[in-house]
């Protein structure tokens, strides 16, 4: 049981850390509460990515598209 737990931690930790770092960097560029997205990305997977897409990325793209017109 201990080896299964350690293997799952070794698999999950890099995934969560990578997700958290990418969310933090992108949210900082878009000015969208970077610390919140980074912390949430460190705790859960993949729900922060899904919510980030709908809450930050889609409105940001719409804003850019409207500025072009």
């Amino acid at each position: 049981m201990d080896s299964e737990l350690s293997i799952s931690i070794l698999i999950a930790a890099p995934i969560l850390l990578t997700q958290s770092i990418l969310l933090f960097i992108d949210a900082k560029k878009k000015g969208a509460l970077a610390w919140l997205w980074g912390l949430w990305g460190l705790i859960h997977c993949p729900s922060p990515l899904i919510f980030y897409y709908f809450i930050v990325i889609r409105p940001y793209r719409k804003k850019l598209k409207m500025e072009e017109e």
Side-chain angles (χ1 to χ4, degrees):
M1 182 73 175
D2 290 329
S3 64
E4 292 175 2
L5 180 63
S6 61
I7 289 173
S8 60
I9 288 174
L10 287 174
I11 292 172
I15 293 171
L16 290 172
L17 190 61
T18 303
Q19 171 184 269
S20 175
I21 290 169
L22 293 176
L23 283 173
F24 178 82
I25 291 170
D26 195 59
K28 196 169 186 179
K29 287 180 187 176
K30 293 181 171 75
L33 300 172
W35 287 103
L36 171 77
W37 291 107
L39 287 174
W40 193 26
L42 194 58
I43 299 169
H44 296 284
C45 185
S47 57
L49 292 174
I50 295 167
F51 282 101
Y52 186 76
Y53 176 76
F54 287 110
I55 294 173
V56 177
I57 293 177
R58 286 186 68 191
Y60 184 77
R61 286 182 182 171
K62 285 181 183 179
K63 180 181 162 188
L64 288 179
K65 189 174 181 179
M66 289 183 73
E67 288 177 358
E68 286 180 358
E69 294 175 354

